[in-house]
Amino acid sequence: MKNLTNYMRLLCIGFLWLFTSYVKAQQHTDAQLLLNDAEASVFNNPNYGIKISEFTLNNNPKANIKCQSFYLLAKSQYIKGNYNEAFKNLTSAKSIAKQSNNTKIISQINILIAEVLYQLDLFSLASYYLNEAKNHTSPANLNWISAKQLQNKTRLAYLEQNNKKEAISNLLSARSQFQTSKAEIENLSPVELDLATFYLNRFQLDSALFYLDRLNTKQYQNNQYISMFRLNKYAAVLFQKKEFFSAIDSLKKAYTIAERFNHVPLKSKINEQLISNYIVTNNPNAFLKQNLNTTVLNNTTEQLKTEATNTVLNYTKADKTNTITELTASYKRNIIFLSISAALLLGFGLFYKYLRDKRIKQYLDILKYFETSRTVEISTEEEQSLPVKNVEIDIPAIQAAHKTVAAVAKPSLNVKSEDNKSPNIPKETENIILSRLQQFEKSNKFTSKDMSLGQLASKLDTNTKYLSEIINKTKGKNFNAYINELRIKYIIEKLKTEPKYLNYKVSYLADESGFSSHSSFATVFKSVTGLSPTVFINIIKKEFKA
């Protein structure tokens, strides 16, 4: 009887163990199915991807499920334009994947990290992570990653060297490699968008439309994420074709998707384009409403981008420190460290340059329109309304709107992250830097095209952090705005005091004042004066005639 009791006890224990194992296996299977379902719809419903990944993170302790959950969470945040949270979750996923030595997911994580870094203009760091992805991938994916490297390299080379011929050749080569690759990897930024942007900037509108149409095929029809970028770019082409009302319709469709995703960076871009179209279609009421929204969105986008950039740089710095400790083990790992350090240094140097270039965006489409037409229509009544000797710039509604928007949006500029505390600069040091800064302003060295925060800090014998803080504190603006305003004031003084400058082309004035391109000069000039260079010069000419 006693033996029978022991036997029954063991049988019950065995049954409970089998039942528990079955339940755990079923939970694992259910979690995997949920993640697969959410990832299949992430390009149309990223919010669902966030909910599912957070649920599986809280309810499943398995390392591979947690890794996939963090990856899906990061991908969903990326699609929503929240690059700071996307990067944080990718680092968590990567940490788990390294512990389990899951090379497949490590490669996917590094590719997505590179996409995030591209959105933050950190192209050199993006190249580093693409190389890491290549080192961890299977042979079947090598061709795809090589194409992605070429695409990223082209973005960097084009922005750095403006080599148009090499850019188009590389982009077409990358597109060919993507098409022939059999890798099952989703491209979050199709090369067709880069090609369309390239041709749009060169006013080759038919070519731009050709590549945008390639994103309207069956492959992308059920991809709302790609659709909103295609519609946004398509509207830019319509603007150049002067089909303004069609452009507005396309932008509204793109905004509907961006609003549903709450993709703040793209909403900001779309609003800027809507403003451009409302101005040229003479719709001041729509302009006023849209301009207010745009200013708030621009401030939010800049703040989010700064937070994400700081997160990346802080993580990279910490990662570098950990790597130094590990590198003492072998010569081979020391070589890896040197490569990482070189990539970091290059990335830091390029960051400030690209930050300057990317911020000069407002009214870019309007200025392209003016550059294409080369004329500014001013009615006879407007010309007669200008005083003969005391010319006042009068842009009804638009100038008033800028003042209203500035007053409303100003408080949002004072929001600071706790991670971005101002440095405590000694008063004596501050006075020395200010004195040197005044000498710099008198020297006209700000017209150098190579002028950067790092270069100026070196000339003033200080560091970039001190210099940036002092400029923000005493000038009320960041370094890029400070340098650009000096350049605009310089060229305005030339226009007012030396009549020969009134006959020079805008491209010459841009080069003379230190801008790298006609378009960037025209954009900053308009933001400072409220008028395009052409209109401003016409007014000055009237003063001289008077």
Side-chain angles (χ1 to χ4, degrees), residues 22 65 87 109 121 128 166 168 269 287 348 394 405 420 496:
Y22 171 78
I65 293 296
F87 185 83
I109 291 168
D121 306 327
Y128 164 72
E166 181 182 349
I168 191 63
K269 290 181 182 179
F287 164 81
F348 294 151
D394 183 21
V405 170
N420 297 326
K496 288 184 175 181

Side-chain angles (χ1 to χ4, degrees), residues 30-45:
D30 291 344
Q32 187 67 61
L33 290 173
L34 283 172
L35 290 171
N36 292 344
D37 179 59
E39 184 153 11
S41 61
V42 71
F43 288 106
N44 296 314
N45 192 356

Side-chain angles (χ1 to χ4, degrees), residues 92 177 189 206 235 256 343 406 415 424 445 457 488 500:
S92 297
Q177 287 183 243
S189 54
D206 289 339
T256 299
V415 179
N424 187 14
K445 290 182 180 179
I488 297 302
K500 64 180 181 179

Side-chain angles (χ1 to χ4, degrees), residues 97-146:
K98 280 185 174 180
Q99 293 175 10
S100 59
N101 197 27
N102 188 336
T103 56
K104 180 180 178 180
I105 191 66
I106 288 175
S107 180
Q108 293 176 342
I109 291 168
N110 284 324
I111 290 171
L112 188 50
I113 288 177
E115 293 285 6
V116 172
L117 296 175
Y118 163 66
Q119 298 297 335
L120 300 176
D121 306 327
L122 300 173
F123 299 101
S124 184
L125 280 178
S127 296
Y128 164 72
Y129 281 100
L130 284 175
N131 284 331
E132 242 196 24
K134 198 171 186 178
N135 293 334
H136 289 90
T137 196
S138 63
N141 295 334
L142 287 176
N143 195 40
W144 190 97
I145 296 179
S146 294

